Amino acid sequence: MHDVDVNNQLAPNISLPENRKRCFLCAKYVFFHQAILCCSGCKNIFHGLCFKYDNEKIFVLQQISWFCPECDDNDLLSYHCETCFLQLDILNERITQCKQCFKILHKSCAVSKVCLNCLPLSTVQDLKVPAVSNVENDFYCSQPYFSPFNFYSSEITNFIPDAEVLSDNLQVCSELLNSCNYVTKQAFVKDMTRNVCFMGLNIDGFRTNFSSFVVMHDSFLSEGRHPIDGYFLCETNVTELESLSFYLNGYNKFILDRNVNHMGKLKHKGSGLAIFLHEKFDSVVFRPDLSLSICDFEILCVEIISENIFVFSCYRSPNGNFDTFIVELDRLLVKLNDFRNHKGYIFGDMNVNLYNLTSKCRKYLDCIFSNNFLPVISRATHFGGLNGTCIDHILTNDLTKITKTGILRVNISRHLPTFLCLDLKISPNNKKRSFPKLKINDFTINSFISEFNKVDFVKPYSALIPLL
């Protein structure tokens, strides 16, 4: 059997439409089974093989704005590798795509087809990349700030009620936003001399990333430093029963089950909240009246009674109804304002990019500002695309105790952890848990056997059969 070259000749019964495209380089017809590229500049069509590209590189180039050699002379777009942070020559270098975040990188820089940002923490620590640190610092330093109060002028305070208080809050908030920076784990550990530190993170699945999260937590303790006082995690993707195997020694755990979708089934991804509070806090309770679990918005609230503090872990699904989210967020903030003597700290992935002042972002800002809550994170926290987005927020109605905010450069998920340091004097909880003691002897053993034999295991099981 002889192969037919459909690019040069056609079988007698094959006819082509008049508008059949041709490769601009070889002038041969383009067919649906061939790997092709379309130039974003001149809009011409090319066979990928005409540039001697393999199929993997062609697939990567199809996902980005690609320019042919003629249009690339103007240097219209430039890309950098997500591992070595050096500029990519996408026309001549071998490139691939991270299977986690889909960013492009040198093929030689990929580890198990994953970029440096998406590698587990333990793997990253084993890598030898001595020349990357300076370039990486430049990359993070180039991320913009969210500074909504730079335009603020003291002249308009004459027209605003409580102008002096508002002016002070905006000034403090502006200073916090402008000082919000990326911090390496080493620098963060050295500076762990403050009284209280809370950390928020979109963990993107307990089953996938909890082990890396524990490695980060243990690294703080191995340095003999002060531990993190509270972790606020979202997208745990587990129920309370499934979360039993995920815990931190010395912490009280609070769980909000992963949500039920519109079909009445548990969501496999994009749901579930968790809060870990250190046992140093006395009298911590779950607040169901300030918690919420719907498809559009999830809220988990815990009250630290001894300090008059409400802490929250929140998550907004990007596929949920945005107006419902704003209504529920406004309802929550209004409730918090009724507690005059309480401070509130809200950690969460709101999926609202503060860099992009769309109508949705403005609604979100209007909602929190009108309820006397202010954001304290101003840099990109998520790097899932070509540009970073500021979608992981910390909101508060009390700025007086905040000493520092920032973003930790630790790769646990696609989101970077955010942290908040407070100047609070917490008296240690010296109360020891008391457990009932039972003496083991012949009498107690015989009593246990007697009670055990009285249990009817068949009856409760048979009652469940009709439900199965």
Side-chain angles (χ1 to χ4, degrees):
M1 182 176 181
H2 299 284
D3 294 332
V4 178
D5 187 353
V6 295
N7 289 322
N8 295 320
Q9 58 184 354
L10 298 173
N13 295 330
I14 296 178
S15 60
L16 292 175
E18 296 180 357
N19 60 350
R20 168 68 66 179
K21 298 290 184 180
R22 292 177 180 266
C23 173
F24 190 76
L25 202 60
C26 67
K28 295 179 181 179
Y29 286 116
V30 172
F31 290 86
F32 72 93
H33 65 278
Q34 296 171 326
I36 63 172
L37 293 170
C38 178
C39 177
S40 299
C42 60
K43 305 301 180 182
N44 290 321
I45 305 295
F46 299 85
H47 290 118
L49 294 178
C50 289
F51 293 104
K52 299 182 179 179
Y53 294 159
D54 57 25
N55 287 337
E56 182 179 3
K57 182 170 182 175
I58 295 172
F59 176 77
V60 174
L61 295 178
Q62 288 173 343
Q63 314 302 312
I64 64 176
S65 296
W66 175 79
F67 294 90
C68 67
E70 296 294 329
C71 297
D72 194 57
D73 292 340
N74 297 325
D75 211 11
L76 296 174
L77 279 178
S78 61
Y79 298 95
H80 65 273
C81 173
E82 289 300 320
T83 294
C84 70
F85 296 95
L86 299 178
Q87 188 167 347
L88 285 166
D89 182 359
I90 61 175
L91 293 179
N92 302 313
E93 292 181 319
R94 298 184 67 189
I95 62 175
T96 186
Q97 194 173 30
C98 173
K99 67 179 182 180
Q100 295 291 335
C101 65
F102 308 109
K103 295 181 181 179
I104 56 177
L105 64 155
H106 293 112
K107 197 164 186 177
S108 59
C109 293
V111 180
S112 300
K113 296 185 179 180
V114 174
C115 69
L116 183 65
N117 289 332
C118 297
L119 283 175
L121 183 61
S122 56
T123 308
V124 174
Q125 292 173 339
D126 295 335
L127 294 179
K128 306 294 183 181
V129 199
V132 172
S133 57
N134 291 334
V135 181
E136 186 182 10
N137 289 334
D138 293 339
F139 170 74
Y140 282 109
C141 290
S142 65
Q143 299 301 316
Y145 286 87
F146 167 70
S147 300
F149 307 124
N150 285 348
F151 66 91
Y152 183 76
S153 172
S154 60
E155 297 178 0
I156 66 173
T157 58
N158 295 328
F159 305 96
I160 302 177
D162 300 326
E164 294 182 359
V165 176
L166 179 61
S167 177
D168 292 341
N169 282 339
L170 294 185
Q171 183 177 356
V172 173
C173 183
S174 182
E175 292 174 355
L176 286 172
L177 291 173
N178 291 329
S179 63
C180 178
N181 289 314
Y182 298 94
V183 180
T184 62
K185 188 182 71 172
Q186 293 76 12
F188 181 74
V189 169
K190 290 180 180 179
D191 192 39
M192 290 176 71
T193 57
R194 67 273 173 276
N195 294 318
V196 173
C197 181
F198 292 144
M199 184 172 290
L201 171 66
N202 183 326
I203 196 169
D204 199 15
F206 267 9
R207 297 183 182 88
T208 307
N209 297 317
F210 193 81
S211 58
S212 298
F213 167 72
V214 173
V215 170
M216 178 193 71
H217 170 72
D218 290 343
S219 67
F220 297 149
L221 301 179
S222 64
E223 299 289 338
R225 301 286 181 173
H226 185 79
I228 302 297
D229 299 286
Y231 292 103
F232 304 87
L233 310 178
C234 60
E235 274 203 273
T236 60
N237 300 333
V238 294
T239 63
E240 186 172 5
L241 181 61
E242 295 167 338
S243 71
L244 293 178
S245 58
F246 303 100
Y247 60 91
L248 293 178
N249 290 326
Y251 285 77
N252 294 307
K253 181 177 69 173
F254 301 87
I255 295 292
L256 187 71
D257 282 0
R258 54 190 171 112
N259 214 332
V260 177
N261 59 23
H262 296 289
M263 303 296 294
K265 298 181 180 180
L266 285 173
K267 295 177 67 175
H268 294 288
K269 194 179 184 309
S271 183
L273 303 173
I275 294 178
F276 292 90
L277 286 178
H278 197 273
E279 289 182 345
K280 68 185 289 184
F281 294 111
D282 190 15
S283 302
V284 291
V285 295
F286 166 63
R287 290 297 299 260
D289 56 321
L290 298 176
S291 300
L292 178 70
S293 180
I294 60 175
C295 292
D296 306 309
F297 194 29
E298 297 175 65
I299 309 168
L300 174 61
C301 175
V302 174
E303 181 183 4
I304 306 175
I305 298 176
S306 58
E307 306 300 326
N308 289 335
I309 290 177
F310 290 123
V311 288
F312 297 83
S313 179
C314 299
Y315 178 71
R316 182 190 82 85
S317 171
N319 300 322
N321 185 290
F322 189 82
D323 292 332
T324 303
F325 158 68
I326 292 296
V327 170
E328 295 298 338
L329 178 61
D330 181 72
R331 187 176 300 167
L332 169 66
L333 300 183
V334 169
K335 286 182 180 179
L336 291 179
N337 286 328
D338 293 336
F339 297 90
R340 297 293 183 182
N341 298 323
H342 281 66
K343 298 176 283 289
Y345 300 100
I346 302 175
F347 299 77
D349 177 5
M350 303 298 185
N351 276 302
V352 178
N353 184 13
L354 298 182
Y355 287 165
N356 189 11
L357 291 179
T358 60
S359 59
K360 289 184 177 180
C361 182
R362 293 182 185 279
K363 284 183 180 180
Y364 172 74
L365 293 176
D366 289 343
C367 176
I368 62 176
F369 290 160
S370 62
N371 287 288
N372 301 317
F373 274 76
L374 296 170
V376 292
I377 296 295
S378 61
R379 311 293 294 275
T381 59
H382 178 259
F383 298 92
L386 294 176
N387 298 312
T389 54
C390 184
I391 60 176
D392 300 280
H393 305 163
I394 300 178
L395 309 176
T396 181
N397 59 353
D398 184 82
L399 302 172
T400 57
K401 299 296 183 179
I402 299 178
T403 59
K404 187 175 182 179
T405 64
I407 302 164
L408 193 62
R409 283 165 46 182
V410 175
N411 299 287
I412 297 176
S413 67
R414 299 181 189 179
H415 301 253
L416 297 180
T418 58
F419 65 87
L420 170 74
C421 298
L422 299 171
D423 183 17
L424 291 177
K425 305 296 182 182
I426 304 295
S427 56
N429 181 12
N430 295 322
K431 295 180 180 179
K432 295 184 178 180
R433 295 183 180 181
S434 59
F435 298 94
K437 295 181 180 180
L438 180 65
K439 293 182 178 181
I440 305 299
N441 52 39
D442 292 340
F443 176 77
T444 56
I445 293 175
N446 292 331
S447 298
F448 169 76
I449 294 174
S450 176
E451 294 296 330
F452 184 81
N453 291 331
K454 293 179 181 179
V455 178
D456 185 0
F457 294 99
V458 177
K459 186 175 181 180
Y461 178 75
S462 60
L464 291 174
I465 293 179
L467 301 177
L468 299 179

